[in-house]
């Protein structure tokens, strides 16, 4: 039999909720589930963290979880989705965390099984701990009275609300990056381009977690889904609205990053043109004395200027005058 003590390492919490309030549950999963179903106003909620196949076997057998869903829950690396099986509902969520020091978005995975009088949550990754969600629900017995549906709603709402928080943190970092891109004296162009590209990779990672979740939330908000209370649709519509807002944030971030990258590349092109104009201007000024010196350095016998007393100073003044004129011309046109 599947006793909670056998899986104590991976079971974060296990409790029975009767009439919206936490109560002591029998140590055996099967007895606890039978008791919950017998009373009609109770359900069992088991939370697990990264179980192995052997550790999860007891739970899956006792609750009759579908083998395909069990495989997905153990393997992880799933897209957000909603699957309906004969005896349970399987939902995959991807919570995200943002490390501001390293500017990285990390996605975890959270699987939720819902069935007749039970909820099983399986968490992968360091983020998305459900302790706070469970504690908040335990202080709201009116919500918990709705059974497993209330748990699914609370978990989904917490994950999606955190999406908006992470999007706000990314927005702050993007504003700093934009200020760097458009700084008048920006010099480290290679590092800036690398930061923009790395930022786009983080936004892409974020989008992989949020975009696929739209369809499951729409099904919960507007369709009839087994094991989900029909009166819960307005609550899931609220979650879907928040998810849409988060996706709009992410799309806006991606567009701004693309615009910032295009502006950065354009600025690099402008700087290269400025450098080429400066090089061309100095080359033109250097070409005049080089040409004159080359002519008078040919040492032909019949060059009357070579024997003129004022020839040398005259040529020097001529070269200096032409160079000064070219310098003023280029300066007035913004080449120097």
């Amino acid at each position: 039999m599947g006793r909670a003590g056998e899986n104590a390492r991976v079971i974060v919490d296990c409790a029975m909720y009767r009439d919206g309030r936490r109560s002591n549950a029998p140590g055996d999963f099967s007895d606890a589930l039978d008791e919950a179903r017998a009373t009609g106003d109770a359900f069992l909620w088991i939370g697990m963290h990264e179980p192995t196949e052997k550790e999860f076997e007891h739970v899956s057998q006792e609750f009759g979880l579908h083998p395909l869903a069990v495989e997905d829950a153990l393997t992880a690396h799933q897209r957000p989705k909603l699957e309906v099986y004969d005896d349970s509902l399987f939902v995959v969520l991807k919570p995200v965390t943002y490390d501001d020091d390293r500017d990285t978005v990390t996605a975890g995975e959270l699987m939720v099984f819902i069935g007749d009088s039970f909820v099983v949550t399986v968490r992968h990754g360091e983020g998305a701990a459900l302790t706070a969600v469970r504690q908040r629900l335990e202080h709201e017995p009116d919500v918990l009275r709705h059974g497993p549906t209330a748990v699914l709603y609370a978990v989904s709402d917490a994950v999606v609300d955190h999406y908006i928080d992470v999007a706000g943190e990314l927005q702050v970092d993007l504003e700093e990056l934009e200020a760097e891109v458009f700084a008048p004296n920006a010099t480290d162009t290679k590092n800036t381009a690398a930061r923009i590209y790395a930022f786009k990779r983080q936004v892409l990672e974020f989008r992989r977690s949020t975009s696929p979740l739209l369809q499951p939330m729409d099904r919960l908000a507007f369709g009839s889904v087994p094991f989900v209370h029909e009166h819960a649709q307005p609550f899931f519509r609220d979650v879907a609205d928040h998810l849409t807002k988060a996706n709009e944030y992410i799309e806006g971030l991606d567009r701004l990053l693309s615009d910032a990258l295009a502006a950065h590349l354009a600025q690099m092109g402008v700087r290269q043109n400025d450098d080429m104009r400066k090089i061309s201007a100095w080359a033109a000024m250097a070409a005049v004395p080089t040409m004159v010196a080359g002519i008078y350095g040919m040492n032909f016998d019949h060059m009357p200027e070579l024997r003129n007393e004022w020839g040398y100073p005259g040529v020097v003044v001529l070269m200096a005058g032409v160079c000064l004129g070219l310098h003023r011309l280029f300066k007035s046109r913004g080449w120097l």
Side-chain angles (χ1 to χ4, degrees):
M1 299 297 291
R3 295 185 178 277
E6 298 175 2
N7 294 339
R9 187 186 70 83
V10 296
I11 294 181
V12 179
D13 201 350
C14 176
M16 181 180 292
Y17 296 90
R18 181 177 287 108
D19 194 27
R21 299 189 182 278
R22 183 170 181 142
S23 63
N24 294 327
D28 188 276
F29 294 152
S30 181
D31 293 342
L33 186 59
D34 291 341
E35 181 178 332
R37 288 172 174 170
T39 58
D41 61 350
F43 70 94
L44 188 66
W45 180 2
I46 299 175
M48 308 184 73
H49 180 236
E50 297 182 351
T52 63
E53 182 177 356
K54 183 177 180 180
E55 291 166 337
F56 196 55
E57 182 180 1
H58 297 300
V59 177
S60 61
Q61 289 178 351
E62 295 296 341
F63 292 96
L65 305 181
H66 196 279
L68 292 177
V70 171
E71 181 181 355
D72 289 344
L74 293 174
T75 306
H77 304 295
Q78 304 295 317
R79 285 168 54 90
K81 62 180 180 179
L82 184 153
E83 299 286 350
V84 178
Y85 298 101
D86 293 337
D87 299 321
S88 63
L89 178 71
F90 179 58
V91 180
V92 179
L93 304 169
K94 291 185 74 70
V96 298
T97 56
Y98 182 60
D99 188 340
D100 190 52
D101 295 331
R102 296 186 298 174
D103 296 336
T104 55
V105 173
T106 304
E109 293 196 41
L110 181 60
M111 289 75 172
V112 183
F113 294 88
I114 290 182
D116 183 12
S117 301
F118 73 85
V119 178
V120 177
T121 55
V122 180
R123 179 168 61 90
H124 292 268
E126 295 301 323
L130 297 179
T131 304
V133 177
R134 189 186 287 261
Q135 291 175 349
R136 178 167 59 85
L137 280 174
E138 289 177 355
H139 286 85
E140 299 177 353
D142 291 339
V143 178
L144 267 179
R145 287 192 182 97
H146 292 89
T149 301
V151 176
L152 178 60
Y153 160 70
V155 171
S156 302
D157 186 55
V159 170
V160 172
D161 283 348
H162 194 60
Y163 286 161
I164 297 177
D165 294 337
V166 172
E169 295 177 5
L170 289 172
Q171 179 68 39
V172 173
D173 286 352
L174 176 58
E175 291 173 358
E176 296 176 356
L177 187 58
E178 285 179 325
E180 179 181 327
V181 169
F182 295 104
N185 298 321
T187 56
D188 194 0
T189 56
K190 291 183 179 179
N191 186 54
T192 301
R195 285 191 61 194
I196 295 175
Y197 181 75
F199 208 119
K200 284 185 70 70
R201 289 293 299 268
Q202 301 309 312
V203 171
L204 177 61
E205 180 69 20
F206 196 3
R207 174 174 280 177
R208 287 173 179 168
S209 300
T210 62
S211 294
L213 188 57
L214 279 172
Q215 183 178 4
M217 285 298 111
D218 284 343
R219 288 181 63 184
L220 292 169
F222 301 103
S224 178
V225 180
F227 308 107
V228 175
H229 201 282
E230 59 181 2
H231 297 300
Q233 287 185 348
F235 297 95
F236 285 108
R237 280 199 292 269
D238 183 66
V239 176
D241 288 342
H242 290 177
L243 181 60
T244 300
K245 182 179 179 181
N247 277 299
E248 289 174 351
Y249 267 131
I250 297 169
E251 290 176 3
L253 289 172
D254 190 55
R255 286 196 299 268
L256 287 173
L257 279 169
S258 297
D259 293 342
L261 181 60
H264 177 67
L265 294 176
Q267 286 182 330
M268 290 181 61
V270 170
R271 293 192 188 103
Q272 289 175 348
N273 288 336
D274 289 340
D275 293 340
M276 288 303 299
R277 286 189 296 182
K278 290 178 181 179
I279 293 171
S280 299
W282 286 110
M285 288 187 290
V288 173
T290 301
M291 180 186 66
V292 175
I295 292 174
Y296 284 96
M298 291 186 292
N299 295 322
F300 288 114
D301 291 335
H302 302 288
M303 294 183 69
E305 296 87 353
L306 294 177
R307 294 176 175 81
N308 191 312
E309 182 178 357
W310 301 99
Y312 174 73
V315 169
V316 172
V317 170
L318 174 64
M319 289 190 295
V322 173
C323 290
L324 180 61
L326 289 174
H327 186 275
R328 295 186 64 180
L329 175 64
F330 293 141
K331 191 78 173 179
S332 65
R333 294 187 176 181
W335 286 36
L336 292 175

